[in-house]
Amino acid sequence: MCCATRISLQHPPENMAPGMHQPPTRTVRPSRSVFRLPRVSVALVLLTATLGTWLALSKQGSVLHNELRSRSPQELIRYTLRRLEGHPKLEWATHPVLHGIQRRLEREPPANLPTLGKGQIKNMQQSMQGITQTWVVDTPQAIRKAMHEATAGTYIEIAPGLYPFSTALTVRNRGTPESPIVVGAKLPGTVWLLFTHVDGIYLKQPNWIFENLNIRGECPSHDTCEHAFHVVSAASGTVIRNNFLTDFNAHIKVNGEKGLWPDGGRLEHNTMTLSEPRKTGKPVVAFDLVGANDWIASDNLVTDISKAGGNRVSFGMFMKGASSNGRFERNLVICSSKNISHPGIRVGLSFGGGNTGRTFCRDRICEREHINGYLINNIVAHCNDSGLDINRSAPVLVAHNTLINTSGITLRQQPAQAMLAGNLYDGLVLARDNTNMTEAPQTSVSAKQALIDADALDLRWVSPPLGMGMHPGVSRDFFGKPRGAKTALGAVEITPPPLH
């Protein structure tokens, strides 16, 4: 993600201290490296001065200087470490310093972070609104048959148990907004679906609801288990809520097919995580939306989404592909619950992601990856890259988010445009590539300074904060608590509930 300009560094020689306290009858010659040390120091000073002059005066240096200023310190450290690979002497000399700086920039997360009420809720009950009949199923074959035959107003209740599948579960009939088709468990955590294939549930019909399910990918190769849910074509009004999803490349994938788009979906109170980094070159992201409009992702818990193959870049959730009117609200994203600096790049929430090929975009142009996006009341923590990322998306409202131990907020690639209001964050706001950003008010305190123990997600304020005017449309906070006319910076109103 950093600049392609290569900078070569000169490695200082290994130094050996002269002998100490030698017997007087023996003459000790100082090591030749002692005589070389002043010359090395002078050379480094001259090199620094020359590099500084070049950065200031030359056209190439000016380009590099501007490029470096648009990068976060975390990114520059990773870039430098990559450039030093294969140069053992340079690595020996510089790694202690670089890793020391990295440890200060990327603080190791505490153990046992709280979920703050996000993700799958253990006591959520079945949704029976609009339901006229219930089918109880207790075998893989019965589940497959019921999903194929169910009509509007049917609740398919899966009995407690573990159900393995080796081919996708598909649907044939449509639900309606008033009478959806629901697939779920009576109690969360009692039903496990195990998938060993590319798409676990492949959904092409509208108004289906999936709730209270635990779903795991168990593929020998990480290239195989792609999606727990693949929502395509006419599957508008899809609701995926209160599920636990683990070990897929993109746990939930949403995209169009043959000119039809699954608009108006909701992703609520799901836990999406990985047991280990994905060894694949395919996209790794918990929620991957391309081209669909009017989706809301709220109150989800996303943790440890990490990629060990390909470009090693992973995202918590993103919407892209000329989609519009998407909302990320009240989500908790923890990029790394441990070992924050392990290899790879981990980004929190994004409009735009890693760009979309034109043939996959809704308008086949993709001048803007997302139009009219909202990032509101989210908490993003322990990412070694951007907590919030806006790429070729405009306009985007970024309001009352709290970013902890991330590199901050990044705008990149025109025509990205964002308005920032009331955010509380560690790190920087970087507007690259002449993108357009306004911030009100400009934050002068970091989350780490303002909160009792931000790294541990203890969100109580050290001292009562100065209030700011409430932004229209952000009348409640991360916990759904009403905001006052003079509200606090960040996702949480002045007094948060207890940790749990």
Side-chain angles (χ1 to χ4, degrees):
M1 292 180 68
C2 193
C3 47
T5 307
R6 184 167 184 171
I7 302 175
S8 298
L9 304 176
Q10 299 298 317
H11 170 58
E14 296 180 3
N15 297 319
M16 183 181 299
M20 300 290 291
H21 306 294
Q22 301 293 338
T25 57
R26 182 181 175 189
T27 302
V28 178
R29 281 184 172 275
S31 168
R32 297 173 81 189
S33 62
V34 174
F35 296 112
R36 293 169 59 190
L37 183 59
R39 281 183 255 170
V40 171
S41 300
V42 171
L44 287 174
V45 171
L46 290 174
L47 177 62
T48 302
T50 302
L51 181 60
T53 303
W54 178 70
L55 286 172
L57 300 180
S58 74
K59 182 178 179 179
Q60 297 91 338
S62 178
V63 171
L64 177 60
H65 182 251
N66 291 335
E67 185 74 8
L68 292 175
R69 288 184 63 188
S70 72
R71 305 294 166 172
S72 69
Q74 291 92 327
E75 192 172 355
L76 292 174
I77 289 290
R78 288 197 303 274
Y79 173 77
T80 304
L81 289 170
R82 286 199 308 271
R83 289 301 187 189
L84 291 172
E85 290 176 358
H87 302 279
K89 291 185 178 180
L90 282 173
E91 290 178 322
W92 173 85
T94 59
H95 271 195
V97 175
L98 292 172
H99 286 305
I101 297 171
Q102 190 176 47
R103 282 191 296 272
R104 291 180 63 86
L105 293 171
E106 301 170 4
R107 306 182 297 272
E108 186 61 17
N112 302 315
L113 291 171
T115 63
L116 303 178
K118 304 304 173 179
Q120 189 183 53
I121 299 173
K122 296 304 181 184
N123 60 355
M124 183 173 285
Q125 300 300 308
Q126 292 170 293
S127 174
M128 303 303 291
Q129 186 172 357
I131 298 301
T132 57
Q133 60 179 337
T134 298
W135 298 351
V136 180
V137 292
D138 59 3
T139 67
Q141 295 78 11
I143 294 171
R144 188 180 299 278
K145 184 173 185 291
M147 289 180 62
H148 195 63
E149 296 180 355
T151 56
T154 302
Y155 195 111
I156 302 171
E157 181 183 311
I158 304 177
L162 186 150
Y163 301 91
F165 295 91
S166 58
T167 58
L169 291 170
T170 59
V171 307
R172 183 178 65 181
N173 297 321
R174 304 162 62 96
T176 69
E178 298 77 20
S179 297
I181 303 172
V182 183
V183 180
K186 191 170 186 178
L187 294 174
T190 61
V191 170
W192 278 91
L193 307 182
L194 304 183
F195 295 138
T196 59
H197 49 284
V198 174
D199 291 322
I201 296 172
Y202 190 78
L203 185 65
K204 297 181 67 173
Q205 297 294 343
N207 299 301
W208 281 69
I209 297 174
F210 297 87
E211 63 184 15
N212 297 348
L213 302 172
N214 285 29
I215 304 178
R216 181 185 297 277
E218 291 198 338
C219 298
S221 168
H222 287 179
D223 284 336
T224 305
C225 281
E226 279 274 82
H227 317 303
F229 292 95
H230 194 171
V231 182
V232 303
S233 187
S236 59
T238 296
V239 178
I240 301 172
R241 65 180 169 220
N242 211 50
N243 304 287
F244 178 91
L245 313 175
T246 185
D247 293 345
F248 297 89
N249 294 332
H251 300 65
I252 300 169
K253 173 77 174 182
V254 179
N255 62 269
E257 183 180 81
K258 297 180 180 180
L260 297 175
W261 299 88
D263 295 335
R266 299 182 70 91
L267 186 68
E268 303 170 341
H269 271 292
N270 300 283
T271 296
M272 295 172 280
T273 189
L274 293 174
S275 60
E276 63 176 333
R278 301 296 285 178
K279 302 177 182 68
T280 181
K282 297 179 179 180
V284 173
V285 52
F287 177 57
D288 177 344
L289 180 145
V290 179
N293 295 339
D294 304 311
W295 272 74
I296 300 174
S298 62
D299 299 294
N300 300 287
L301 171 64
V302 178
T303 69
D304 296 298
I305 305 300
S306 180
K307 182 176 178 179
N311 62 8
R312 292 186 173 183
V313 179
S314 59
F315 293 82
M317 297 191 281
F318 62 56
M319 301 185 196
K320 62 176 186 173
S323 53
S324 65
N325 301 317
R327 304 177 74 95
F328 290 115
E329 300 184 58
R330 303 185 305 277
N331 300 286
L332 173 58
V333 178
I334 302 171
C335 290
S336 300
S337 62
K338 60 182 179 181
N339 195 15
I340 185 175
S341 298
H342 73 271
I345 296 169
R346 290 165 291 283
V347 180
L349 298 172
S350 175
F351 283 117
N355 294 331
T356 309
R358 289 188 176 185
T359 57
F360 301 104
C361 289
R362 188 170 186 135
D363 60 6
R364 299 297 177 111
I365 299 172
C366 240
E367 178 185 3
R368 289 185 284 178
E369 288 283 351
H370 194 86
I371 303 118
N372 199 33
Y374 296 83
L375 286 159
I376 296 173
N377 286 328
N378 301 285
I379 296 176
V380 183
H382 305 305
C383 304
N384 71 345
D385 207 272
S386 304
L388 301 178
D389 169 68
I390 297 112
N391 175 37
R392 283 175 50 199
S393 298
V396 176
L397 174 62
V398 183
H400 287 288
N401 301 282
T402 297
L403 308 184
I404 297 166
N405 196 20
T406 81
S407 69
I409 303 170
T410 302
L411 279 73
R412 54 194 175 93
Q413 296 197 79
Q414 291 184 342
Q417 177 187 351
M419 183 176 77
L420 279 58
N423 299 288
L424 180 65
Y425 54 89
D426 297 336
L428 305 172
V429 175
L430 297 174
R432 302 175 179 171
D433 313 316
N434 296 313
T435 51
N436 188 352
M437 184 274 294
T438 59
E439 182 178 15
Q442 291 190 350
T443 305
S444 59
V445 61
S446 72
K448 182 174 175 57
Q449 294 171 329
L451 305 177
I452 292 286
D453 190 349
D455 286 356
L457 303 185
D458 185 340
L459 305 175
R460 294 172 296 167
W461 287 79
V462 172
S463 57
L466 295 175
M468 60 167 285
M470 184 177 66
H471 190 281
V474 193
S475 61
R476 293 181 177 271
D477 75 350
F478 176 82
F479 295 104
K481 181 179 178 180
R483 290 184 178 273
K486 288 291 186 179
T487 190
L489 293 172
V492 179
E493 192 57 312
I494 295 173
T495 306
L499 294 179
H500 64 282

